[in-house]
Amino acid sequence: MKKVSVHEMKTIIQNPNSKFNYFAWPSLARLHDGTLAAVCSGFRIGHVCPFGKVVMAKSTDDGKTFSKPRQILWFLPFPLFFANYYLTLINFQSYFK
């Protein structure tokens, strides 16, 4: 297994100036083309919130900056499970492009 070191900790997904600015349970993967994809439950009011959505932000500069978060799945009863499933799916599909 490859050893990984943490060089910096920072906020990569946010929704400033909104009460729906709570993001949690992230997963991060490097796609086949080198893009970093961060998927999490987001656009929430707080930790316990029925309004959470599965969102994704991407980075094409090795994590220096990330895109604005975008909702990627709708109407799911268990957003965390499906966030990880979706990230696995897009990572898997990128190998066949």
Side-chain angles (χ1 to χ4, degrees):
M1 179 180 282
K2 183 177 179 181
K3 186 176 179 178
V4 177
S5 298
V6 175
H7 298 284
E8 176 183 9
M9 291 179 58
K10 64 181 178 179
T11 300
I12 60 172
I13 299 177
Q14 59 183 332
N15 188 28
N17 305 318
S18 173
K19 68 180 181 178
F20 297 99
N21 191 30
Y22 189 92
F23 298 85
W25 310 290
S27 293
L28 183 69
R30 185 174 302 276
L31 305 181
H32 186 65
D33 66 358
T35 299
L36 288 174
V39 178
C40 66
S41 178
F43 297 126
R44 306 166 68 86
I45 295 173
H47 184 75
V48 178
C49 173
F51 306 115
K53 297 166 178 50
V54 178
V55 300
M56 179 171 62
K58 294 181 180 179
S59 173
T60 57
D61 59 6
D62 211 27
K64 292 180 182 82
T65 61
F66 279 81
S67 65
K68 291 182 180 179
R70 297 182 59 167
Q71 184 175 347
I72 57 172
L73 295 174
W74 290 261
F75 308 114
L76 295 173
F78 304 105
L80 175 60
F81 170 79
F82 286 101
N84 288 320
Y85 171 78
Y86 184 78
L87 187 57
T88 301
L89 181 64
I90 61 172
N91 201 21
F92 179 76
Q93 288 176 343
S94 71
Y95 283 102
F96 296 98
K97 290 185 178 181

